[in-house]
Amino acid sequence: MSKRYYITTPIYYINDVPHIGHAYTTVAADIMARYKRICGYDVFFLTGTDEHGQKVEKAAELQGISPRELADRTVHQFIDLWKVLNISNTGFVRTTEERHKKVVRYIFQKVFEKGDIYLGAYEDWYCVPCETYFTDLQLHDGIHCPDCHRPTEKLKEESYFFKLSQYGDKLLKLLEEQKDFVMPEVRYNEVASFVKGGLRDLSVSRTSFTWGIPVPMKANHIVYVWFDALINYLTGIGFLEDDELFNTFWPCDAHLIGKDILRFHAVYWPSFLMSLGIQPPKHIFAHGWWTIEGHKMSKSLGNVIDPNEVVKQYGVDEFRFFLFREVPFGLDGDFSRKAITHRINGDLANDFGNLVSRSVAMIGKFLKGKVEKPETRGGIDEHVEERVRQLIDEYQKEMEAFSYYKALQHVFEITSILNKYIDSEAPWKLAKEGDPRVKTVLYNLWNGLRVTAMLLYPFMPVKSQSIWNAIGIGKMIEKVSFDEEKVFYCIDDMAAIGKIAPIFPRIED
Ligand code: ME8
């Protein structure tokens, strides 16, 4: 059986247009999906939109349209942005789809029949934007939401409850047995201490609005938007519809999320699944938050970054690359025009772009555009090849752990080694002296570039292909096998390489 990998993004609320934060998680998942595919995995990559709930109902009301109209309008902005960003998702769930509503009703009923959902009454402080209740003790300054700091309102309603309090020990056992269930470690610790603090039953229905999925046994109750939303991870791979697909891909390998929605994914979600007798996901990775030029991104500050604009100005691969080269994945980061310009000019135009153009020019001039298998090899040639091989292994280790930042550091160590190799071996001198080692050095450079482009492929799918084409490789990079390509070789069907336009033009400040 071939290797399988299932990765998801959160499903995004459609009360707002997509911004850099949504792009971040989705590109992160795309990077892993592309990486796993060239490592030989059959990948299912799911994203989608969260279209129910009070927040959406209120946003539609403000615009004077129905929630359905708002959803239909905004969902296209997400779909279009994913095209612009070259997102290679294989599935997309809208929570308003019939196939999803059917799954939610089925699961609610099942958990109810098991005795894990019961009818009770609820009175507490409710935060509408977060769709969450808080106790007096949790409130900030006695009235504000502890998460978003906006005012909460007192709400009393009849409600169905999920017996979350019964799942504390099971969750602790899961956390104990699977130390990488929640990543990175700081988030694992956060979840563990939350669970150790004791869990209260969770309200899983609302009667204060109507935009959502009615509870099967009492239609004036609407299924809590988070109970509804989390289930998309099952709907998307054919739960109740396509057992073969479902059994192939569940349990999910990785849910990628922002740190803001950790508790829903790492506490509630596995508890719902345990109640259903379905295995929990293997990993939940929670990343940090972006600020913009040092400020929190917010509509009122007018600093919300539209990824379409960034792409227009800097290029799609440059944007994708920046997001993961600038900040270790997992930590918070700051987006600024200065920082993205600095990264593009430094890493891409100078270090990598120059390496490509110098190498291509020399292969054109000294070898008539084609590299050949070397006849003589000196110590330094072997050393370079060996070092590159080690760095590829390091890269793979880091990629497996979602350490994209470190993986990219290894890639740029390779470019730095290759740049130094050119300077120290001076192929133009070897050519002038008629020394056959010129072939060896250019062969190593060509191979170094070839593997570097492949290592960058998950981050920069278009540019890496351009580099392969520029160095005479006609293959589609997305179809290759990582293991076959990571060794140094010489190809017979290499196209002769000639002059190329700069692949990474400099950005003027
Ligand atoms: O929470 N920096 O949807 P949402 C980094 N529908 N990432 C950010 C960000 C920022 N400044 N702002 C948002 C929801 N994100 C629910 C999810 S899943 C079953 C339901 C990213 O539209 C980050 O991934 O509010 C965060 O978790 C997600 O957008 C929240 O998107």
Side-chain angles (χ1 to χ4, degrees), residues 10-13 19 21-22 24-25 50 55 226 229-230 232-233 257-261 265 287-290 297:
I11 50 171
Y12 304 108
Y13 286 127
H19 56 62
H22 304 127
Y24 187 48
T25 324
D50 194 353
K55 192 151 64 167
W226 273 100
L230 289 160
N232 94 87
Y233 300 132
I257 56 168
K259 63 181 183 181
D260 53 321
I261 54 175
H265 282 81
H287 63 68
W289 267 45
W290 285 93
M297 182 166 56

Side-chain angles (χ1 to χ4, degrees), residues 130 132 224 226 230 260-270:
C130 297
T132 307
Y224 174 44
W226 273 100
L230 289 160
D260 53 321
I261 54 175
L262 181 59
R263 197 186 311 151
F264 302 97
H265 282 81
V267 180
Y268 304 166
W269 180 226

Side-chain angles (χ1 to χ4, degrees), residues 356-407:
V356 177
S357 44
R358 288 164 90 192
S359 309
V360 164
M362 288 190 288
I363 294 168
K365 198 161 164 195
F366 306 134
L367 300 183
K368 298 201 182 73
K370 288 205 171 196
V371 286
E372 290 169 40
K373 190 101 187 149
E375 289 146 24
T376 48
R377 287 159 72 73
I380 180 153
D381 308 318
E382 279 165 17
H383 176 72
V384 165
E385 185 176 338
E386 186 48 31
R387 220 24 224 133
V388 171
R389 189 172 305 135
Q390 285 166 358
L391 287 163
I392 294 172
D393 288 344
E394 297 290 324
Y395 165 97
Q396 284 200 277
K397 247 185 249 152
E398 301 300 351
M399 288 299 282
E400 294 297 332
F402 287 99
S403 302
Y404 295 162
Y405 181 79
K406 284 192 190 154

Side-chain angles (χ1 to χ4, degrees), residues 82-124:
W82 303 153
K83 279 193 201 129
V84 168
L85 292 175
N86 283 319
I87 302 303
S88 63
N89 58 302
T90 36
F92 193 99
V93 172
R94 297 182 63 178
T95 53
T96 49
E97 284 174 76
E98 199 44 55
R99 62 169 176 154
H100 175 70
K101 294 196 266 187
K102 192 172 95 186
V103 175
V104 172
R105 283 193 297 264
Y106 170 88
I107 290 178
F108 201 98
Q109 180 85 40
K110 227 26 222 166
V111 178
F112 177 76
E113 281 164 11
K114 192 178 171 206
D116 274 350
I117 285 180
Y118 64 92
L119 189 62
Y122 205 94
E123 182 170 19
D124 233 328

